[in-house]
Amino acid sequence: DAKTTQPNSMESNEEEPVHLPCNHSTISGTDYIHWYRQLPSQGPEYVIHGLTSNVNNRMASLAIAEDRKSSTLILHRATLRDAAVYYCIPFSYSGAGSYQLTFGKGTKLSVIP
Amino acid sequence: DAGVIQSPRHEVTEMGQEVTLRCKPISGHNSLFWYRQTMMRGLELLIYFNNNVPIDDSGMPEDRFSAKMPNASFSTLKIQPSEPRDSAVYFCASSFIGRGEKLFFGSGTQLSVL
């Protein structure tokens, strides 16, 4: 399995942009990079995923390094509702229904009013 | 769609009792995952199914744990007998896995074994 490294915690002021980094230097060429977040007392929630190029959706943007060894989740304007644990996960699919989606410790994001 | 539905939301039981957790995946999804979350170990993948067939159960902690998926719309995770160290939040997730697809999680079952 590809291993990931994320900061244990980060803080952001409300309405400021937040850049959440993730290192995944052992990722294989076919692994997608998924980001999930988990709000208190809830199940994880999908945020965004990508393979090589940068991705945008209504929740966030994902910037993937050219060598794919790192990525950054960007929340453009943090709100109090964005306070959560954010997980960066390499998604390995080897065909015939065989895949790996392993959660690490994640980054706990605190948003300051 | 109602999303992934898990029941019960909370379960309190005594050591030695049988516990059954239930999950209804999103209609049309072809894969189902069972995770367990504790403060110490975080989110652990227990088992996953693809097209109702168990693909990898290497995360199941012991023979006391078993999971079934009799059809595409229902799965169970059973613990027999339960022990206090099984206390955790158990999540079910489903997805349409072909290539890089996203998982949808249920709200979880908070299990307390006394």
Side-chain angles (χ1 to χ4, degrees), chain A residues 30 32 34 36 38 43-44 46 49 87 91 93 97-99 101 103 105, chain B residues 31 33 35 37 40 43 48 55 91 97-103 105-106:
Chain A
T30 55
Y32 281 78
H34 281 231
Y36 287 77
Q38 187 173 20
Y46 167 83
H49 76 282
Y87 299 96
F91 182 92
Y93 180 66
S98 178
Y99 39 80
L101 190 68
F103 285 77
K105 299 289 186 186
Chain B
S31 294
F33 302 72
Y35 283 88
Q37 186 171 35
M40 291 295 293
L43 270 162
Y48 68 83
I55 301 298
F91 290 104
I97 297 292
R99 197 74 181 174
E101 296 295 332
K102 55 191 177 184
L103 266 62
F105 282 79

PDB file of all heavy atoms in Angstrom, chain A residues 30 32 34 36 38 43-44 46 49 87 91 93 97-99 101 103 105, chain B residues 31 33 35 37 40 43 48 55 91 97-103 105-106:
ATOM      1  N   THR A  30      -0.966   4.381 -11.236  1.00  0.00           N
ATOM      2  CA  THR A  30      -2.390   4.232 -11.530  1.00  0.00           C
ATOM      3  C   THR A  30      -3.273   4.512 -10.326  1.00  0.00           C
ATOM      4  O   THR A  30      -4.491   4.395 -10.418  1.00  0.00           O
ATOM      5  CB  THR A  30      -2.683   2.807 -12.035  1.00  0.00           C
ATOM      6  OG1 THR A  30      -2.191   1.880 -11.063  1.00  0.00           O
ATOM      7  CG2 THR A  30      -1.996   2.554 -13.362  1.00  0.00           C
ATOM      8  N   TYR A  32      -5.404   6.588  -7.874  1.00  0.00           N
ATOM      9  CA  TYR A  32      -6.058   7.881  -7.718  1.00  0.00           C
ATOM     10  C   TYR A  32      -5.760   8.423  -6.317  1.00  0.00           C
ATOM     11  O   TYR A  32      -5.455   7.673  -5.399  1.00  0.00           O
ATOM     12  CB  TYR A  32      -7.574   7.739  -7.873  1.00  0.00           C
ATOM     13  CG  TYR A  32      -8.027   7.649  -9.308  1.00  0.00           C
ATOM     14  CD1 TYR A  32      -7.894   6.467 -10.028  1.00  0.00           C
ATOM     15  CD2 TYR A  32      -8.595   8.750  -9.947  1.00  0.00           C
ATOM     16  CE1 TYR A  32      -8.308   6.389 -11.339  1.00  0.00           C
ATOM     17  CE2 TYR A  32      -9.019   8.677 -11.256  1.00  0.00           C
ATOM     18  CZ  TYR A  32      -8.870   7.493 -11.953  1.00  0.00           C
ATOM     19  OH  TYR A  32      -9.287   7.415 -13.250  1.00  0.00           O
ATOM     20  N   HIS A  34      -7.537  10.274  -3.359  1.00  0.00           N
ATOM     21  CA  HIS A  34      -8.848  10.627  -2.820  1.00  0.00           C
ATOM     22  C   HIS A  34      -8.674  11.475  -1.568  1.00  0.00           C
ATOM     23  O   HIS A  34      -7.767  11.235  -0.771  1.00  0.00           O
ATOM     24  CB  HIS A  34      -9.631   9.372  -2.441  1.00  0.00           C
ATOM     25  CG  HIS A  34     -10.270   8.666  -3.575  1.00  0.00           C
ATOM     26  ND1 HIS A  34     -11.603   8.303  -3.569  1.00  0.00           N
ATOM     27  CD2 HIS A  34      -9.788   8.251  -4.763  1.00  0.00           C
ATOM     28  CE1 HIS A  34     -11.903   7.697  -4.691  1.00  0.00           C
ATOM     29  NE2 HIS A  34     -10.820   7.642  -5.439  1.00  0.00           N
ATOM     30  N   TYR A  36     -11.123  12.633   1.748  1.00  0.00           N
ATOM     31  CA  TYR A  36     -12.371  12.535   2.484  1.00  0.00           C
ATOM     32  C   TYR A  36     -12.257  13.412   3.726  1.00  0.00           C
ATOM     33  O   TYR A  36     -11.157  13.744   4.170  1.00  0.00           O
ATOM     34  CB  TYR A  36     -12.653  11.086   2.927  1.00  0.00           C
ATOM     35  CG  TYR A  36     -13.066  10.185   1.795  1.00  0.00           C
ATOM     36  CD1 TYR A  36     -12.123   9.690   0.899  1.00  0.00           C
ATOM     37  CD2 TYR A  36     -14.398   9.847   1.607  1.00  0.00           C
ATOM     38  CE1 TYR A  36     -12.504   8.882  -0.160  1.00  0.00           C
ATOM     39  CE2 TYR A  36     -14.792   9.037   0.553  1.00  0.00           C
ATOM     40  CZ  TYR A  36     -13.829   8.559  -0.321  1.00  0.00           C
ATOM     41  OH  TYR A  36     -14.210   7.766  -1.365  1.00  0.00           O
ATOM     42  N   GLN A  38     -14.163  13.989   7.763  1.00  0.00           N
ATOM     43  CA  GLN A  38     -15.082  13.443   8.751  1.00  0.00           C
ATOM     44  C   GLN A  38     -15.406  14.519   9.777  1.00  0.00           C
ATOM     45  O   GLN A  38     -14.531  14.937  10.550  1.00  0.00           O
ATOM     46  CB  GLN A  38     -14.481  12.215   9.436  1.00  0.00           C
ATOM     47  CG  GLN A  38     -15.463  11.501  10.349  1.00  0.00           C
ATOM     48  CD  GLN A  38     -14.916  10.185  10.885  1.00  0.00           C
ATOM     49  OE1 GLN A  38     -13.710   9.947  10.897  1.00  0.00           O
ATOM     50  NE2 GLN A  38     -15.811   9.310  11.322  1.00  0.00           N
ATOM     51  N   GLY A  43     -20.035   9.965   9.664  1.00  0.00           N
ATOM     52  CA  GLY A  43     -19.195   9.122   8.833  1.00  0.00           C
ATOM     53  C   GLY A  43     -18.358   9.964   7.892  1.00  0.00           C
ATOM     54  O   GLY A  43     -18.677  11.127   7.634  1.00  0.00           O
ATOM     55  N   PRO A  44     -17.271   9.401   7.375  1.00  0.00           N
ATOM     56  CA  PRO A  44     -16.464  10.144   6.399  1.00  0.00           C
ATOM     57  C   PRO A  44     -17.290  10.550   5.189  1.00  0.00           C
ATOM     58  O   PRO A  44     -18.249   9.863   4.804  1.00  0.00           O
ATOM     59  CB  PRO A  44     -15.371   9.132   6.023  1.00  0.00           C
ATOM     60  CG  PRO A  44     -15.283   8.213   7.194  1.00  0.00           C
ATOM     61  CD  PRO A  44     -16.688   8.102   7.699  1.00  0.00           C
ATOM     62  N   TYR A  46     -16.965  12.048   1.146  1.00  0.00           N
ATOM     63  CA  TYR A  46     -16.086  12.279  -0.001  1.00  0.00           C
ATOM     64  C   TYR A  46     -15.941  13.775  -0.264  1.00  0.00           C
ATOM     65  O   TYR A  46     -16.909  14.529  -0.187  1.00  0.00           O
ATOM     66  CB  TYR A  46     -16.681  11.592  -1.226  1.00  0.00           C
ATOM     67  CG  TYR A  46     -16.054  11.986  -2.543  1.00  0.00           C
ATOM     68  CD1 TYR A  46     -14.877  11.389  -2.985  1.00  0.00           C
ATOM     69  CD2 TYR A  46     -16.649  12.960  -3.338  1.00  0.00           C
ATOM     70  CE1 TYR A  46     -14.308  11.750  -4.198  1.00  0.00           C
ATOM     71  CE2 TYR A  46     -16.085  13.327  -4.549  1.00  0.00           C
ATOM     72  CZ  TYR A  46     -14.918  12.709  -4.971  1.00  0.00           C
ATOM     73  OH  TYR A  46     -14.361  13.079  -6.171  1.00  0.00           O
ATOM     74  N   HIS A  49     -11.360  13.820  -5.751  1.00  0.00           N
ATOM     75  CA  HIS A  49     -10.288  12.911  -6.108  1.00  0.00           C
ATOM     76  C   HIS A  49      -9.724  13.273  -7.471  1.00  0.00           C
ATOM     77  O   HIS A  49     -10.376  13.959  -8.279  1.00  0.00           O
ATOM     78  CB  HIS A  49     -10.733  11.443  -6.062  1.00  0.00           C
ATOM     79  CG  HIS A  49     -11.579  10.990  -7.223  1.00  0.00           C
ATOM     80  ND1 HIS A  49     -12.921  11.284  -7.320  1.00  0.00           N
ATOM     81  CD2 HIS A  49     -11.267  10.261  -8.320  1.00  0.00           C
ATOM     82  CE1 HIS A  49     -13.407  10.734  -8.417  1.00  0.00           C
ATOM     83  NE2 HIS A  49     -12.431  10.117  -9.057  1.00  0.00           N
ATOM     84  N   TYR A  87      -8.752  13.394   5.374  1.00  0.00           N
ATOM     85  CA  TYR A  87      -7.937  12.232   5.046  1.00  0.00           C
ATOM     86  C   TYR A  87      -7.525  12.267   3.576  1.00  0.00           C
ATOM     87  O   TYR A  87      -8.362  12.466   2.693  1.00  0.00           O
ATOM     88  CB  TYR A  87      -8.715  10.934   5.285  1.00  0.00           C
ATOM     89  CG  TYR A  87      -9.161  10.693   6.701  1.00  0.00           C
ATOM     90  CD1 TYR A  87     -10.446  11.042   7.116  1.00  0.00           C
ATOM     91  CD2 TYR A  87      -8.318  10.089   7.620  1.00  0.00           C
ATOM     92  CE1 TYR A  87     -10.878  10.796   8.415  1.00  0.00           C
ATOM     93  CE2 TYR A  87      -8.738   9.834   8.919  1.00  0.00           C
ATOM     94  CZ  TYR A  87     -10.013  10.195   9.306  1.00  0.00           C
ATOM     95  OH  TYR A  87     -10.424   9.943  10.590  1.00  0.00           O
ATOM     96  N   PHE A  91      -5.858   5.581  -3.765  1.00  0.00           N
ATOM     97  CA  PHE A  91      -6.854   4.557  -4.077  1.00  0.00           C
ATOM     98  C   PHE A  91      -6.257   3.633  -5.121  1.00  0.00           C
ATOM     99  O   PHE A  91      -6.050   4.021  -6.263  1.00  0.00           O
ATOM    100  CB  PHE A  91      -8.117   5.224  -4.599  1.00  0.00           C
ATOM    101  CG  PHE A  91      -9.219   4.260  -4.896  1.00  0.00           C
ATOM    102  CD1 PHE A  91     -10.157   3.950  -3.932  1.00  0.00           C
ATOM    103  CD2 PHE A  91      -9.334   3.674  -6.144  1.00  0.00           C
ATOM    104  CE1 PHE A  91     -11.186   3.066  -4.200  1.00  0.00           C
ATOM    105  CE2 PHE A  91     -10.353   2.789  -6.419  1.00  0.00           C
ATOM    106  CZ  PHE A  91     -11.288   2.484  -5.445  1.00  0.00           C
ATOM    107  N   TYR A  93      -6.462   0.309  -7.403  1.00  0.00           N
ATOM    108  CA  TYR A  93      -7.396  -0.648  -7.998  1.00  0.00           C
ATOM    109  C   TYR A  93      -6.601  -1.567  -8.907  1.00  0.00           C
ATOM    110  O   TYR A  93      -5.959  -1.116  -9.839  1.00  0.00           O
ATOM    111  CB  TYR A  93      -8.481   0.075  -8.790  1.00  0.00           C
ATOM    112  CG  TYR A  93      -9.482  -0.845  -9.430  1.00  0.00           C
ATOM    113  CD1 TYR A  93     -10.340  -1.613  -8.649  1.00  0.00           C
ATOM    114  CD2 TYR A  93      -9.568  -0.969 -10.810  1.00  0.00           C
ATOM    115  CE1 TYR A  93     -11.260  -2.461  -9.224  1.00  0.00           C
ATOM    116  CE2 TYR A  93     -10.488  -1.807 -11.396  1.00  0.00           C
ATOM    117  CZ  TYR A  93     -11.338  -2.560 -10.604  1.00  0.00           C
ATOM    118  OH  TYR A  93     -12.241  -3.401 -11.178  1.00  0.00           O
ATOM    119  N   GLY A  97     -12.196  -6.416  -9.098  1.00  0.00           N
ATOM    120  CA  GLY A  97     -12.784  -6.036  -7.821  1.00  0.00           C
ATOM    121  C   GLY A  97     -11.800  -5.928  -6.682  1.00  0.00           C
ATOM    122  O   GLY A  97     -12.189  -5.851  -5.518  1.00  0.00           O
ATOM    123  N   SER A  98     -10.526  -5.942  -6.967  1.00  0.00           N
ATOM    124  CA  SER A  98      -9.518  -5.905  -5.907  1.00  0.00           C
ATOM    125  C   SER A  98      -8.927  -4.516  -5.794  1.00  0.00           C
ATOM    126  O   SER A  98      -8.347  -4.000  -6.740  1.00  0.00           O
ATOM    127  CB  SER A  98      -8.402  -6.906  -6.212  1.00  0.00           C
ATOM    128  OG  SER A  98      -7.397  -6.832  -5.217  1.00  0.00           O
ATOM    129  N   TYR A  99      -9.063  -3.895  -4.655  1.00  0.00           N
ATOM    130  CA  TYR A  99      -8.557  -2.537  -4.473  1.00  0.00           C
ATOM    131  C   TYR A  99      -8.265  -2.269  -3.008  1.00  0.00           C
ATOM    132  O   TYR A  99      -8.638  -3.037  -2.132  1.00  0.00           O
ATOM    133  CB  TYR A  99      -9.565  -1.516  -4.993  1.00  0.00           C
ATOM    134  CG  TYR A  99     -10.985  -1.874  -4.683  1.00  0.00           C
ATOM    135  CD1 TYR A  99     -11.540  -1.629  -3.445  1.00  0.00           C
ATOM    136  CD2 TYR A  99     -11.772  -2.485  -5.642  1.00  0.00           C
ATOM    137  CE1 TYR A  99     -12.833  -1.985  -3.162  1.00  0.00           C
ATOM    138  CE2 TYR A  99     -13.076  -2.845  -5.366  1.00  0.00           C
ATOM    139  CZ  TYR A  99     -13.597  -2.586  -4.134  1.00  0.00           C
ATOM    140  OH  TYR A  99     -14.887  -2.952  -3.853  1.00  0.00           O
ATOM    141  N   LEU A 101      -8.212   0.909  -0.119  1.00  0.00           N
ATOM    142  CA  LEU A 101      -8.583   2.269   0.276  1.00  0.00           C
ATOM    143  C   LEU A 101      -8.384   2.343   1.776  1.00  0.00           C
ATOM    144  O   LEU A 101      -9.295   2.063   2.549  1.00  0.00           O
ATOM    145  CB  LEU A 101     -10.036   2.554  -0.118  1.00  0.00           C
ATOM    146  CG  LEU A 101     -10.499   4.001   0.009  1.00  0.00           C
ATOM    147  CD1 LEU A 101      -9.783   4.877  -1.015  1.00  0.00           C
ATOM    148  CD2 LEU A 101     -11.997   4.110  -0.205  1.00  0.00           C
ATOM    149  N   PHE A 103      -7.397   4.313   5.232  1.00  0.00           N
ATOM    150  CA  PHE A 103      -7.370   5.610   5.893  1.00  0.00           C
ATOM    151  C   PHE A 103      -6.191   5.688   6.860  1.00  0.00           C
ATOM    152  O   PHE A 103      -5.922   4.758   7.604  1.00  0.00           O
ATOM    153  CB  PHE A 103      -8.669   5.829   6.677  1.00  0.00           C
ATOM    154  CG  PHE A 103      -9.856   6.165   5.832  1.00  0.00           C
ATOM    155  CD1 PHE A 103     -10.512   5.182   5.108  1.00  0.00           C
ATOM    156  CD2 PHE A 103     -10.322   7.466   5.751  1.00  0.00           C
ATOM    157  CE1 PHE A 103     -11.609   5.490   4.321  1.00  0.00           C
ATOM    158  CE2 PHE A 103     -11.424   7.794   4.968  1.00  0.00           C
ATOM    159  CZ  PHE A 103     -12.066   6.802   4.251  1.00  0.00           C
ATOM    160  N   LYS A 105      -4.211   8.687   9.631  1.00  0.00           N
ATOM    161  CA  LYS A 105      -4.653   9.467  10.794  1.00  0.00           C
ATOM    162  C   LYS A 105      -5.332  10.765  10.387  1.00  0.00           C
ATOM    163  O   LYS A 105      -6.139  11.315  11.119  1.00  0.00           O
ATOM    164  CB  LYS A 105      -3.451   9.796  11.691  1.00  0.00           C
ATOM    165  CG  LYS A 105      -2.743   8.575  12.240  1.00  0.00           C
ATOM    166  CD  LYS A 105      -3.572   7.866  13.287  1.00  0.00           C
ATOM    167  CE  LYS A 105      -2.788   6.743  13.932  1.00  0.00           C
ATOM    168  NZ  LYS A 105      -3.619   5.947  14.865  1.00  0.00           N
TER     169      LYS A 105
ATOM    170  N   SER B  31     -20.132  -2.325  -4.743  1.00  0.00           N
ATOM    171  CA  SER B  31     -19.149  -2.659  -3.713  1.00  0.00           C
ATOM    172  C   SER B  31     -19.603  -2.162  -2.357  1.00  0.00           C
ATOM    173  O   SER B  31     -20.219  -1.098  -2.247  1.00  0.00           O
ATOM    174  CB  SER B  31     -17.788  -2.057  -4.046  1.00  0.00           C
ATOM    175  OG  SER B  31     -17.252  -2.643  -5.207  1.00  0.00           O
ATOM    176  N   PHE B  33     -18.290  -1.881   1.846  1.00  0.00           N
ATOM    177  CA  PHE B  33     -17.156  -1.918   2.762  1.00  0.00           C
ATOM    178  C   PHE B  33     -17.657  -1.843   4.203  1.00  0.00           C
ATOM    179  O   PHE B  33     -18.586  -1.096   4.496  1.00  0.00           O
ATOM    180  CB  PHE B  33     -16.250  -0.702   2.550  1.00  0.00           C
ATOM    181  CG  PHE B  33     -15.686  -0.546   1.166  1.00  0.00           C
ATOM    182  CD1 PHE B  33     -16.492  -0.153   0.115  1.00  0.00           C
ATOM    183  CD2 PHE B  33     -14.342  -0.760   0.928  1.00  0.00           C
ATOM    184  CE1 PHE B  33     -15.966   0.023  -1.173  1.00  0.00           C
ATOM    185  CE2 PHE B  33     -13.804  -0.587  -0.337  1.00  0.00           C
ATOM    186  CZ  PHE B  33     -14.617  -0.201  -1.385  1.00  0.00           C
ATOM    187  N   TYR B  35     -16.066  -0.768   7.889  1.00  0.00           N
ATOM    188  CA  TYR B  35     -14.952  -0.170   8.618  1.00  0.00           C
ATOM    189  C   TYR B  35     -15.287  -0.125  10.099  1.00  0.00           C
ATOM    190  O   TYR B  35     -16.446  -0.065  10.499  1.00  0.00           O
ATOM    191  CB  TYR B  35     -14.713   1.277   8.149  1.00  0.00           C
ATOM    192  CG  TYR B  35     -13.993   1.442   6.830  1.00  0.00           C
ATOM    193  CD1 TYR B  35     -14.695   1.466   5.637  1.00  0.00           C
ATOM    194  CD2 TYR B  35     -12.615   1.626   6.790  1.00  0.00           C
ATOM    195  CE1 TYR B  35     -14.031   1.643   4.422  1.00  0.00           C
ATOM    196  CE2 TYR B  35     -11.946   1.812   5.580  1.00  0.00           C
ATOM    197  CZ  TYR B  35     -12.670   1.822   4.411  1.00  0.00           C
ATOM    198  OH  TYR B  35     -12.012   2.003   3.221  1.00  0.00           O
ATOM    199  N   GLN B  37     -14.021   2.129  13.628  1.00  0.00           N
ATOM    200  CA  GLN B  37     -13.254   3.304  14.062  1.00  0.00           C
ATOM    201  C   GLN B  37     -13.155   3.372  15.567  1.00  0.00           C
ATOM    202  O   GLN B  37     -14.166   3.333  16.279  1.00  0.00           O
ATOM    203  CB  GLN B  37     -13.882   4.601  13.536  1.00  0.00           C
ATOM    204  CG  GLN B  37     -13.029   5.839  13.831  1.00  0.00           C
ATOM    205  CD  GLN B  37     -13.544   7.082  13.122  1.00  0.00           C
ATOM    206  OE1 GLN B  37     -14.736   7.273  12.962  1.00  0.00           O
ATOM    207  NE2 GLN B  37     -12.624   7.924  12.671  1.00  0.00           N
ATOM    208  N   MET B  40      -7.936   4.803  19.273  1.00  0.00           N
ATOM    209  CA  MET B  40      -6.563   4.299  19.238  1.00  0.00           C
ATOM    210  C   MET B  40      -6.123   3.903  17.829  1.00  0.00           C
ATOM    211  O   MET B  40      -4.984   4.159  17.430  1.00  0.00           O
ATOM    212  CB  MET B  40      -6.437   3.080  20.160  1.00  0.00           C
ATOM    213  CG  MET B  40      -6.548   3.394  21.624  1.00  0.00           C
ATOM    214  SD  MET B  40      -5.188   4.429  22.179  1.00  0.00           S
ATOM    215  CE  MET B  40      -3.817   3.305  21.981  1.00  0.00           C
ATOM    216  N   LEU B  43      -9.613   4.570  11.580  1.00  0.00           N
ATOM    217  CA  LEU B  43     -10.526   3.848  10.701  1.00  0.00           C
ATOM    218  C   LEU B  43      -9.820   2.632  10.117  1.00  0.00           C
ATOM    219  O   LEU B  43      -8.831   2.763   9.400  1.00  0.00           O
ATOM    220  CB  LEU B  43     -10.983   4.750   9.553  1.00  0.00           C
ATOM    221  CG  LEU B  43     -12.233   5.574   9.771  1.00  0.00           C
ATOM    222  CD1 LEU B  43     -12.312   6.700   8.763  1.00  0.00           C
ATOM    223  CD2 LEU B  43     -13.474   4.703   9.662  1.00  0.00           C
ATOM    224  N   TYR B  48     -14.427  -6.105   2.542  1.00  0.00           N
ATOM    225  CA  TYR B  48     -15.234  -5.502   1.498  1.00  0.00           C
ATOM    226  C   TYR B  48     -15.735  -6.557   0.526  1.00  0.00           C
ATOM    227  O   TYR B  48     -15.128  -7.614   0.357  1.00  0.00           O
ATOM    228  CB  TYR B  48     -14.516  -4.359   0.783  1.00  0.00           C
ATOM    229  CG  TYR B  48     -13.327  -4.736  -0.076  1.00  0.00           C
ATOM    230  CD1 TYR B  48     -13.486  -5.191  -1.384  1.00  0.00           C
ATOM    231  CD2 TYR B  48     -12.045  -4.570   0.417  1.00  0.00           C
ATOM    232  CE1 TYR B  48     -12.394  -5.499  -2.162  1.00  0.00           C
ATOM    233  CE2 TYR B  48     -10.940  -4.880  -0.362  1.00  0.00           C
ATOM    234  CZ  TYR B  48     -11.114  -5.345  -1.653  1.00  0.00           C
ATOM    235  OH  TYR B  48     -10.028  -5.645  -2.419  1.00  0.00           O
ATOM    236  N   ILE B  55     -14.211 -10.045  -1.056  1.00  0.00           N
ATOM    237  CA  ILE B  55     -12.958  -9.994  -1.801  1.00  0.00           C
ATOM    238  C   ILE B  55     -11.762 -10.052  -0.859  1.00  0.00           C
ATOM    239  O   ILE B  55     -10.778 -10.727  -1.123  1.00  0.00           O
ATOM    240  CB  ILE B  55     -12.877  -8.722  -2.664  1.00  0.00           C
ATOM    241  CG1 ILE B  55     -14.049  -8.666  -3.647  1.00  0.00           C
ATOM    242  CG2 ILE B  55     -11.542  -8.645  -3.394  1.00  0.00           C
ATOM    243  CD1 ILE B  55     -14.098  -9.802  -4.640  1.00  0.00           C
ATOM    244  N   PHE B  91     -18.720   1.525  10.581  1.00  0.00           N
ATOM    245  CA  PHE B  91     -19.261   2.201   9.411  1.00  0.00           C
ATOM    246  C   PHE B  91     -19.379   1.228   8.243  1.00  0.00           C
ATOM    247  O   PHE B  91     -18.519   0.378   8.026  1.00  0.00           O
ATOM    248  CB  PHE B  91     -18.353   3.356   8.980  1.00  0.00           C
ATOM    249  CG  PHE B  91     -18.342   4.537   9.901  1.00  0.00           C
ATOM    250  CD1 PHE B  91     -17.275   4.761  10.755  1.00  0.00           C
ATOM    251  CD2 PHE B  91     -19.407   5.424   9.900  1.00  0.00           C
ATOM    252  CE1 PHE B  91     -17.265   5.848  11.609  1.00  0.00           C
ATOM    253  CE2 PHE B  91     -19.399   6.523  10.762  1.00  0.00           C
ATOM    254  CZ  PHE B  91     -18.324   6.727  11.610  1.00  0.00           C
ATOM    255  N   ILE B  97     -17.485   0.732  -7.944  1.00  0.00           N
ATOM    256  CA  ILE B  97     -16.049   0.697  -8.180  1.00  0.00           C
ATOM    257  C   ILE B  97     -15.748   0.181  -9.571  1.00  0.00           C
ATOM    258  O   ILE B  97     -16.086  -0.936  -9.924  1.00  0.00           O
ATOM    259  CB  ILE B  97     -15.353  -0.199  -7.139  1.00  0.00           C
ATOM    260  CG1 ILE B  97     -15.536   0.369  -5.729  1.00  0.00           C
ATOM    261  CG2 ILE B  97     -13.889  -0.334  -7.469  1.00  0.00           C
ATOM    262  CD1 ILE B  97     -14.819   1.658  -5.479  1.00  0.00           C
ATOM    263  N   GLY B  98     -15.160   1.003 -10.351  1.00  0.00           N
ATOM    264  CA  GLY B  98     -14.640   0.580 -11.643  1.00  0.00           C
ATOM    265  C   GLY B  98     -13.242   1.119 -11.765  1.00  0.00           C
ATOM    266  O   GLY B  98     -12.294   0.414 -12.046  1.00  0.00           O
ATOM    267  N   ARG B  99     -13.169   2.402 -11.486  1.00  0.00           N
ATOM    268  CA  ARG B  99     -11.885   3.058 -11.507  1.00  0.00           C
ATOM    269  C   ARG B  99     -11.981   4.356 -10.728  1.00  0.00           C
ATOM    270  O   ARG B  99     -12.583   5.305 -11.174  1.00  0.00           O
ATOM    271  CB  ARG B  99     -11.472   3.321 -12.943  1.00  0.00           C
ATOM    272  CG  ARG B  99     -10.022   3.619 -13.125  1.00  0.00           C
ATOM    273  CD  ARG B  99      -9.185   2.360 -12.983  1.00  0.00           C
ATOM    274  NE  ARG B  99      -7.761   2.639 -13.146  1.00  0.00           N
ATOM    275  CZ  ARG B  99      -6.804   1.747 -12.950  1.00  0.00           C
ATOM    276  NH1 ARG B  99      -7.121   0.542 -12.595  1.00  0.00           N
ATOM    277  NH2 ARG B  99      -5.546   2.064 -13.105  1.00  0.00           N
ATOM    278  N   GLY B 100     -11.391   4.379  -9.547  1.00  0.00           N
ATOM    279  CA  GLY B 100     -11.308   5.639  -8.803  1.00  0.00           C
ATOM    280  C   GLY B 100     -12.629   6.210  -8.337  1.00  0.00           C
ATOM    281  O   GLY B 100     -12.756   7.413  -8.186  1.00  0.00           O
ATOM    282  N   GLU B 101     -13.606   5.370  -8.091  1.00  0.00           N
ATOM    283  CA  GLU B 101     -14.903   5.896  -7.688  1.00  0.00           C
ATOM    284  C   GLU B 101     -14.958   6.210  -6.196  1.00  0.00           C
ATOM    285  O   GLU B 101     -14.209   5.652  -5.400  1.00  0.00           O
ATOM    286  CB  GLU B 101     -16.004   4.895  -8.046  1.00  0.00           C
ATOM    287  CG  GLU B 101     -16.150   4.647  -9.537  1.00  0.00           C
ATOM    288  CD  GLU B 101     -16.589   5.881 -10.277  1.00  0.00           C
ATOM    289  OE1 GLU B 101     -17.268   6.721  -9.648  1.00  0.00           O
ATOM    290  OE2 GLU B 101     -16.287   6.021 -11.468  1.00  0.00           O
ATOM    291  N   LYS B 102     -15.862   7.074  -5.823  1.00  0.00           N
ATOM    292  CA  LYS B 102     -15.910   7.541  -4.438  1.00  0.00           C
ATOM    293  C   LYS B 102     -16.799   6.663  -3.577  1.00  0.00           C
ATOM    294  O   LYS B 102     -17.749   6.046  -4.055  1.00  0.00           O
ATOM    295  CB  LYS B 102     -16.407   8.976  -4.396  1.00  0.00           C
ATOM    296  CG  LYS B 102     -17.730   9.204  -5.084  1.00  0.00           C
ATOM    297  CD  LYS B 102     -18.007  10.696  -5.222  1.00  0.00           C
ATOM    298  CE  LYS B 102     -19.289  10.961  -5.959  1.00  0.00           C
ATOM    299  NZ  LYS B 102     -19.507  12.406  -6.188  1.00  0.00           N
ATOM    300  N   LEU B 103     -16.479   6.636  -2.290  1.00  0.00           N
ATOM    301  CA  LEU B 103     -17.255   5.883  -1.314  1.00  0.00           C
ATOM    302  C   LEU B 103     -18.275   6.777  -0.647  1.00  0.00           C
ATOM    303  O   LEU B 103     -18.011   7.948  -0.366  1.00  0.00           O
ATOM    304  CB  LEU B 103     -16.326   5.316  -0.233  1.00  0.00           C
ATOM    305  CG  LEU B 103     -15.813   3.892  -0.428  1.00  0.00           C
ATOM    306  CD1 LEU B 103     -14.982   3.792  -1.679  1.00  0.00           C
ATOM    307  CD2 LEU B 103     -15.031   3.436   0.794  1.00  0.00           C
ATOM    308  N   PHE B 105     -20.504   6.839   2.802  1.00  0.00           N
ATOM    309  CA  PHE B 105     -20.553   6.206   4.116  1.00  0.00           C
ATOM    310  C   PHE B 105     -21.918   6.387   4.770  1.00  0.00           C
ATOM    311  O   PHE B 105     -22.588   7.411   4.578  1.00  0.00           O
ATOM    312  CB  PHE B 105     -19.495   6.809   5.042  1.00  0.00           C
ATOM    313  CG  PHE B 105     -18.108   6.312   4.794  1.00  0.00           C
ATOM    314  CD1 PHE B 105     -17.351   6.807   3.746  1.00  0.00           C
ATOM    315  CD2 PHE B 105     -17.561   5.331   5.605  1.00  0.00           C
ATOM    316  CE1 PHE B 105     -16.068   6.339   3.507  1.00  0.00           C
ATOM    317  CE2 PHE B 105     -16.272   4.870   5.384  1.00  0.00           C
ATOM    318  CZ  PHE B 105     -15.527   5.375   4.330  1.00  0.00           C
ATOM    319  N   GLY B 106     -22.284   5.399   5.581  1.00  0.00           N
ATOM    320  CA  GLY B 106     -23.446   5.546   6.433  1.00  0.00           C
ATOM    321  C   GLY B 106     -23.091   6.343   7.682  1.00  0.00           C
ATOM    322  O   GLY B 106     -21.941   6.763   7.858  1.00  0.00           O
TER     323      GLY B 106
END
